[in-house]
Amino acid sequence: MKARARTDVEIPRISAVQKVVGTLIDEISAGILTPGERIDEVQLANRLGVSRTPVREALNQLVAQRILVAGERRGVRVVQYSQSELSQIFEVMYEIEIACARMAAQRLTLLSRSEIELAQTACIKAAETGDRIAYMRANDNLHQAIYKATGNEFMQELASEFRRRTGPFRAKKFAAPEDLIASARSHESLLRSIFSADSHAASTSMREHMEASFLQTLEAFRNG
C-alpha cells in the first residue's frame, strides 16, 4: 500500500516536469525565448499551472543539457554564445549531420522512411500556415527521424544534443513566412538522396543543406 501511494504521488510530478521541459524547448527553439533571456520561475509556474518544484527540476535538466545556463543570484538564462563559439558548435554539428545522413541512407527501412516522410509533411503544413513554432517542432522531428534511421542510439543522442543547443540561434533565420516555405522545400532534395540509398549522395546533400543553414543562421546572428 505504501509503495503504491508513493507511485501515485510521483506520476503527476514527472508529468509536470516533462510539460515544463517540453514547453521551454519549444519556445527556445522557436525563438520566443531568446539567447541570454532570464527564465522567471514564478511566472513560468503560474503560466503552466504547476508548482515551482517541477519548474526547478526542469530548469536543472536543461542546464545539464546546456540549453540553459545558471547565472547570478541563482537565476537561469537561455544559453548565449559568441559568434566564434557558435561557429565551432556548427562545425561539429555539420559533421554529425552528414554522418547521420550517410548512415540513414545505408540502413533505411520502410518504417524509418515513413517516419521521415510524416515529419516532412508536418513541415510543409506548418510552413504553409506560417506557424513558426509548429515548423521548428516539425523540422526538429524531421532531423530526429533521420537520426533514428541511422540505427545507432549513440549517434542519435549526440546529434540531438547539438540540435537542441543551436535551436534558439537557428530560429532567428525564420523571420518571415517565406523563410519557412524555403526551408521546407530545401528538404526535398535531401530526402530524395537519403531515400536513394546512395550514401555518398546523401552525405553531399546534407553537406549542402547544413552549409546553407549555417550561413543563414550566422547572418541572422550578426543582424541581431
Coordinates of all heavy atoms in Angstrom, one line a residue, residues 143-203:
H143 N 14.6 15.9 -38.5 CA 16.0 15.6 -38.3 C 16.2 14.4 -37.3 O 17.0 13.6 -37.4 CB 16.8 16.8 -37.8 CG 17.2 17.7 -38.9 ND1 18.4 17.6 -39.6 CD2 16.5 18.7 -39.5 CE1 18.4 18.6 -40.6 NE2 17.3 19.2 -40.5
Q144 N 15.3 14.4 -36.3 CA 15.3 13.3 -35.3 C 15.0 12.0 -36.0 O 15.5 11.0 -35.6 CB 14.3 13.6 -34.2 CG 14.6 14.7 -33.2 CD 15.8 14.4 -32.3 OE1 16.2 13.2 -32.2 NE2 16.4 15.4 -31.7
A145 N 14.1 12.1 -37.0 CA 13.7 10.8 -37.7 C 14.9 10.3 -38.5 O 15.1 9.1 -38.7 CB 12.5 11.1 -38.6
I146 N 15.7 11.3 -39.1 CA 16.9 10.9 -39.8 C 17.9 10.3 -38.8 O 18.6 9.3 -39.1 CB 17.5 12.1 -40.5 CG1 16.5 12.6 -41.6 CG2 18.9 11.8 -41.1 CD1 17.0 13.9 -42.3
Y147 N 18.1 10.9 -37.7 CA 19.0 10.4 -36.7 C 18.6 8.9 -36.3 O 19.4 8.1 -36.2 CB 19.0 11.2 -35.4 CG 19.3 12.7 -35.5 CD1 18.9 13.6 -34.6 CD2 20.0 13.2 -36.7 CE1 19.2 15.0 -34.7 CE2 20.2 14.5 -36.8 CZ 19.8 15.4 -35.8 OH 20.1 16.7 -36.0
K148 N 17.3 8.8 -36.1 CA 16.8 7.4 -35.7 C 17.0 6.4 -36.8 O 17.3 5.2 -36.5 CB 15.3 7.6 -35.4 CG 14.7 6.3 -34.8 CD 13.2 6.5 -34.5 CE 12.5 5.2 -34.1 NZ 11.1 5.4 -33.8
A149 N 17.0 6.9 -38.0 CA 17.1 5.9 -39.1 C 18.6 5.4 -39.2 O 18.8 4.4 -39.9 CB 16.8 6.6 -40.4
T150 N 19.5 6.0 -38.5 CA 20.9 5.5 -38.5 C 21.0 4.2 -37.8 O 21.9 3.4 -38.0 CB 21.9 6.5 -37.8 OG1 21.5 6.5 -36.4 CG2 21.8 7.9 -38.4
G151 N 20.0 3.9 -36.9 CA 20.0 2.7 -36.2 C 21.0 2.7 -35.1 O 21.3 1.6 -34.5
N152 N 21.6 3.8 -34.8 CA 22.7 3.9 -33.8 C 22.2 4.9 -32.7 O 22.2 6.1 -32.9 CB 24.0 4.4 -34.4 CG 25.2 4.4 -33.5 OD1 25.1 4.9 -32.4 ND2 26.3 3.9 -33.9
E153 N 21.9 4.4 -31.5 CA 21.4 5.2 -30.4 C 22.4 6.3 -29.9 O 22.0 7.4 -29.5 CB 20.9 4.4 -29.3 CG 19.7 3.5 -29.6 CD 19.2 2.7 -28.4 OE1 19.8 2.8 -27.3 OE2 18.3 1.9 -28.5
F154 N 23.7 6.0 -30.0 CA 24.7 6.9 -29.5 C 24.8 8.1 -30.5 O 24.9 9.2 -30.1 CB 26.0 6.2 -29.4 CG 26.0 5.2 -28.3 CD1 25.9 3.8 -28.6 CD2 26.2 5.5 -26.9 CE1 25.9 2.9 -27.6 CE2 26.2 4.6 -25.9 CZ 26.0 3.2 -26.3
M155 N 24.7 7.8 -31.8 CA 24.7 8.9 -32.8 C 23.5 9.7 -32.7 O 23.5 11.0 -32.7 CB 24.8 8.3 -34.2 CG 24.8 9.3 -35.3 SD 26.2 10.4 -35.3 CE 27.5 9.3 -36.1
Q156 N 22.3 9.1 -32.4 CA 21.1 9.8 -32.3 C 21.1 10.7 -31.1 O 20.7 11.9 -31.2 CB 19.9 8.8 -32.1 CG 18.6 9.4 -32.0 CD 17.5 8.4 -31.9 OE1 17.7 7.2 -32.0 NE2 16.3 8.8 -31.6
E157 N 21.7 10.3 -30.0 CA 21.8 11.1 -28.8 C 22.7 12.3 -29.0 O 22.4 13.4 -28.6 CB 22.3 10.2 -27.6 CG 22.4 11.0 -26.3 CD 22.9 10.1 -25.2 OE1 23.0 8.9 -25.3 OE2 23.2 10.7 -24.1
L158 N 23.9 12.0 -29.6 CA 24.8 13.1 -29.9 C 24.3 14.2 -30.8 O 24.4 15.4 -30.5 CB 26.1 12.5 -30.5 CG 27.3 13.4 -30.7 CD1 27.8 14.0 -29.4 CD2 28.4 12.7 -31.4
A159 N 23.7 13.7 -31.9 CA 23.1 14.7 -32.8 C 22.0 15.5 -32.2 O 21.8 16.7 -32.4 CB 22.6 13.9 -34.1
S160 N 21.2 14.8 -31.4 CA 20.0 15.5 -30.7 C 20.5 16.6 -29.8 O 20.0 17.7 -29.7 CB 19.2 14.5 -29.9 OG 18.6 13.6 -30.8
E161 N 21.7 16.3 -29.1 CA 22.2 17.3 -28.2 C 22.6 18.6 -28.9 O 22.3 19.7 -28.4 CB 23.4 16.8 -27.4 CG 24.1 17.8 -26.5 CD 25.4 17.3 -25.9 OE1 25.7 16.1 -26.0 OE2 26.1 18.1 -25.3
F162 N 23.3 18.5 -30.0 CA 23.7 19.7 -30.7 C 22.6 20.4 -31.4 O 22.6 21.6 -31.5 CB 24.8 19.3 -31.8 CG 26.1 19.1 -31.2 CD1 26.6 17.9 -30.7 CD2 27.0 20.2 -31.2 CE1 27.8 17.8 -30.1 CE2 28.3 20.1 -30.6 CZ 28.7 18.9 -30.1
R163 N 21.6 19.7 -31.8 CA 20.4 20.3 -32.4 C 19.7 21.1 -31.3 O 19.2 22.2 -31.6 CB 19.4 19.3 -33.0 CG 18.1 19.8 -33.5 CD 17.6 19.0 -34.6 NE 18.4 19.2 -35.8 CZ 18.2 20.2 -36.7 NH1 17.3 21.0 -36.6 NH2 19.0 20.3 -37.7
R164 N 19.5 20.6 -30.1 CA 18.9 21.4 -29.0 C 19.7 22.6 -28.7 O 19.1 23.7 -28.5 CB 18.8 20.5 -27.8 CG 17.7 19.4 -27.8 CD 17.4 18.8 -26.5 NE 18.6 18.1 -26.0 CZ 18.8 16.8 -26.1 NH1 18.0 16.1 -26.8 NH2 19.9 16.3 -25.6
R165 N 21.0 22.5 -28.6 CA 21.8 23.6 -28.2 C 21.8 24.8 -29.3 O 22.0 25.9 -28.9 CB 23.3 23.1 -28.0 CG 23.4 22.3 -26.8 CD 24.8 21.7 -26.6 NE 25.8 22.7 -26.4 CZ 27.1 22.4 -26.1 NH1 27.5 21.2 -26.2 NH2 27.9 23.4 -25.9
T166 N 21.6 24.5 -30.5 CA 21.6 25.5 -31.6 C 20.2 26.0 -31.9 O 20.0 26.9 -32.7 CB 22.2 25.0 -32.9 OG1 21.5 23.8 -33.3 CG2 23.6 24.6 -32.7
G167 N 19.1 25.5 -31.2 CA 17.7 25.8 -31.5 C 17.5 27.3 -31.5 O 16.9 27.9 -32.5
P168 N 17.8 28.0 -30.4 CA 17.5 29.5 -30.4 C 18.2 30.3 -31.4 O 17.7 31.4 -31.8 CB 17.9 29.9 -29.0 CG 18.9 28.9 -28.5 CD 18.4 27.6 -29.2
F169 N 19.3 29.8 -31.9 CA 20.1 30.5 -32.9 C 19.5 30.2 -34.3 O 19.4 31.1 -35.2 CB 21.5 30.2 -32.8 CG 22.1 30.5 -31.5 CD1 22.2 29.6 -30.5 CD2 22.6 31.8 -31.2 CE1 22.7 29.9 -29.2 CE2 23.1 32.1 -30.0 CZ 23.1 31.2 -29.0
R170 N 19.1 29.0 -34.6 CA 18.5 28.6 -35.9 C 17.2 29.3 -36.1 O 16.8 29.6 -37.2 CB 18.4 27.1 -36.0 CG 19.7 26.4 -36.2 CD 19.6 24.9 -36.4 NE 19.2 24.2 -35.1 CZ 18.0 23.8 -34.9 NH1 17.0 23.9 -35.8 NH2 17.7 23.1 -33.8
A171 N 16.5 29.5 -35.0 CA 15.1 30.2 -35.1 C 15.2 31.6 -35.7 O 14.3 32.0 -36.3 CB 14.5 30.2 -33.7
K172 N 16.3 32.2 -35.5 CA 16.5 33.6 -36.0 C 16.4 33.7 -37.5 O 16.0 34.8 -38.0 CB 17.8 34.2 -35.5 CG 17.9 34.5 -34.0 CD 19.3 35.0 -33.6 CE 19.4 35.4 -32.2 NZ 18.6 36.7 -32.0
K173 N 16.7 32.7 -38.2 CA 16.7 32.7 -39.6 C 15.3 32.6 -40.2 O 15.1 32.9 -41.4 CB 17.6 31.7 -40.2 CG 17.1 30.2 -40.0 CD 18.1 29.2 -40.6 CE 17.6 27.8 -40.4 NZ 18.5 26.8 -40.9
F174 N 14.3 32.3 -39.4 CA 12.9 32.2 -39.9 C 12.2 33.5 -39.5 O 11.3 33.5 -38.7 CB 12.3 31.0 -39.3 CG 12.9 29.7 -39.7 CD1 13.4 28.8 -38.7 CD2 13.1 29.3 -41.0 CE1 14.0 27.6 -39.0 CE2 13.7 28.2 -41.4 CZ 14.2 27.3 -40.4
A175 N 12.6 34.6 -40.1 CA 12.0 35.9 -39.8 C 10.6 36.1 -40.5 O 9.8 36.9 -40.0 CB 13.0 37.0 -40.1
A176 N 10.4 35.5 -41.6 CA 9.2 35.7 -42.4 C 8.6 34.4 -42.9 O 9.3 33.4 -42.9 CB 9.6 36.6 -43.6
P177 N 7.3 34.4 -43.2 CA 6.7 33.1 -43.6 C 7.4 32.5 -44.8 O 7.4 31.2 -44.9 CB 5.2 33.6 -44.0 CG 5.0 34.8 -43.1 CD 6.3 35.5 -43.0
E178 N 7.9 33.3 -45.7 CA 8.5 32.7 -46.9 C 9.8 32.0 -46.5 O 10.3 31.1 -47.3 CB 8.8 33.8 -48.0 CG 9.6 35.0 -47.4 CD 8.7 36.1 -47.0 OE1 7.5 35.8 -46.6 OE2 9.1 37.3 -47.2
D179 N 10.4 32.3 -45.4 CA 11.6 31.6 -44.9 C 11.2 30.2 -44.6 O 12.0 29.2 -44.8 CB 12.2 32.3 -43.7 CG 12.7 33.7 -44.1 OD1 13.1 33.9 -45.2 OD2 12.7 34.5 -43.2
L180 N 10.0 30.0 -44.0 CA 9.6 28.6 -43.7 C 9.3 27.8 -44.9 O 9.7 26.6 -45.0 CB 8.3 28.7 -42.8 CG 8.3 29.5 -41.5 CD1 7.0 29.5 -40.9 CD2 9.4 29.0 -40.6
I181 N 8.7 28.4 -45.9 CA 8.5 27.7 -47.2 C 9.8 27.3 -47.8 O 9.9 26.1 -48.3 CB 7.7 28.6 -48.1 CG1 6.3 29.0 -47.6 CG2 7.6 28.0 -49.5 CD1 5.3 27.8 -47.5
A182 N 10.7 28.2 -47.9 CA 12.0 27.9 -48.5 C 12.7 26.7 -47.8 O 13.3 25.9 -48.4 CB 12.9 29.1 -48.5
S183 N 12.6 26.8 -46.4 CA 13.3 25.7 -45.6 C 12.6 24.4 -45.9 O 13.3 23.4 -46.1 CB 13.2 26.1 -44.2 OG 13.7 25.0 -43.4
A184 N 11.3 24.3 -45.9 CA 10.6 23.1 -46.2 C 10.9 22.5 -47.5 O 11.1 21.3 -47.7 CB 9.1 23.3 -46.0
R185 N 11.0 23.4 -48.5 CA 11.3 22.9 -49.9 C 12.8 22.4 -50.0 O 13.1 21.5 -50.8 CB 11.1 24.1 -50.9 CG 9.7 24.4 -51.1 CD 9.5 25.6 -52.0 NE 8.1 25.9 -52.3 CZ 7.6 27.0 -52.9 NH1 8.5 27.9 -53.3 NH2 6.3 27.1 -53.1
S186 N 13.7 23.0 -49.2 CA 15.1 22.6 -49.2 C 15.2 21.1 -48.7 O 16.3 20.5 -49.0 CB 15.9 23.5 -48.4 OG 15.7 23.3 -47.0
H187 N 14.2 20.6 -48.0 CA 14.3 19.2 -47.5 C 14.1 18.2 -48.7 O 14.6 17.1 -48.5 CB 13.2 19.0 -46.5 CG 13.4 19.8 -45.2 ND1 12.3 20.1 -44.4 CD2 14.5 20.3 -44.6 CE1 12.8 20.7 -43.4 NE2 14.1 20.9 -43.5
E188 N 13.5 18.6 -49.7 CA 13.0 17.7 -50.8 C 14.2 17.0 -51.4 O 14.2 15.7 -51.5 CB 12.2 18.4 -51.8 CG 10.9 18.9 -51.2 CD 10.1 19.8 -52.2 OE1 10.6 20.0 -53.4 OE2 9.0 20.2 -51.9
S189 N 15.2 17.7 -51.8 CA 16.4 17.1 -52.5 C 17.2 16.3 -51.5 O 17.7 15.2 -51.8 CB 17.3 18.1 -53.1 OG 17.8 19.1 -52.2
L190 N 17.2 16.7 -50.2 CA 17.9 16.0 -49.2 C 17.3 14.6 -48.9 O 18.0 13.6 -48.9 CB 17.9 16.8 -47.9 CG 18.4 16.1 -46.6 CD1 19.8 15.7 -46.7 CD2 18.2 17.0 -45.4
L191 N 16.0 14.6 -48.8 CA 15.3 13.4 -48.6 C 15.3 12.4 -49.8 O 15.4 11.2 -49.6 CB 13.8 13.6 -48.2 CG 13.6 14.5 -46.9 CD1 12.1 14.5 -46.5 CD2 14.5 14.0 -45.8
R192 N 15.3 13.0 -51.0 CA 15.4 12.1 -52.2 C 16.8 11.4 -52.1 O 16.9 10.2 -52.5 CB 15.3 13.0 -53.5 CG 13.9 13.3 -53.9 CD 13.8 13.7 -55.3 NE 14.7 14.9 -55.6 CZ 14.2 16.1 -55.5 NH1 13.0 16.4 -55.1 NH2 15.0 17.2 -55.7
S193 N 17.8 12.1 -51.8 CA 19.2 11.5 -51.7 C 19.2 10.4 -50.7 O 19.9 9.4 -50.9 CB 20.2 12.5 -51.5 OG 20.1 13.1 -50.2
I194 N 18.6 10.6 -49.5 CA 18.6 9.6 -48.4 C 17.8 8.4 -48.9 O 18.2 7.3 -48.7 CB 18.1 10.2 -47.1 CG1 19.0 11.3 -46.6 CG2 17.8 9.1 -46.1 CD1 18.5 12.0 -45.3
F195 N 16.7 8.7 -49.5 CA 15.8 7.5 -49.9 C 16.4 6.8 -51.1 O 16.0 5.6 -51.4 CB 14.4 8.1 -50.3 CG 13.6 8.7 -49.2 CD1 12.6 9.5 -49.5 CD2 14.0 8.4 -47.9 CE1 11.8 10.1 -48.4 CE2 13.2 9.0 -46.8 CZ 12.2 9.8 -47.1
S196 N 17.4 7.3 -51.8 CA 18.0 6.7 -52.9 C 18.9 5.5 -52.5 O 19.4 4.7 -53.3 CB 18.8 7.7 -53.7 OG 20.0 8.0 -53.1
A197 N 19.3 5.5 -51.2 CA 20.2 4.5 -50.6 C 21.6 4.8 -51.1 O 22.5 3.9 -50.8 CB 19.8 3.1 -50.9
D198 N 21.9 5.9 -51.7 CA 23.2 6.3 -52.1 C 23.8 7.1 -51.0 O 23.5 8.3 -50.8 CB 23.1 7.1 -53.4 CG 24.5 7.5 -54.0 OD1 25.5 7.5 -53.2 OD2 24.6 7.7 -55.2
S199 N 24.7 6.5 -50.2 CA 25.3 7.2 -49.0 C 26.1 8.4 -49.4 O 26.1 9.4 -48.7 CB 26.1 6.2 -48.2 OG 27.2 5.7 -49.0
H200 N 26.8 8.3 -50.5 CA 27.6 9.5 -51.0 C 26.7 10.6 -51.3 O 27.0 11.8 -51.0 CB 28.5 9.1 -52.2 CG 29.3 10.2 -52.7 ND1 30.4 10.8 -52.1 CD2 29.1 11.0 -53.9 CE1 30.9 11.8 -52.8 NE2 30.1 11.9 -53.9
A201 N 25.6 10.4 -52.1 CA 24.7 11.4 -52.4 C 24.0 12.0 -51.2 O 23.8 13.2 -51.1 CB 23.6 10.9 -53.4
A202 N 23.7 11.2 -50.3 CA 23.1 11.7 -49.0 C 24.0 12.6 -48.2 O 23.6 13.6 -47.7 CB 22.6 10.5 -48.2
S203 N 25.3 12.2 -48.2 CA 26.3 13.0 -47.5 C 26.5 14.3 -48.2 O 26.5 15.4 -47.5 CB 27.7 12.3 -47.5 OG 27.6 11.1 -46.8

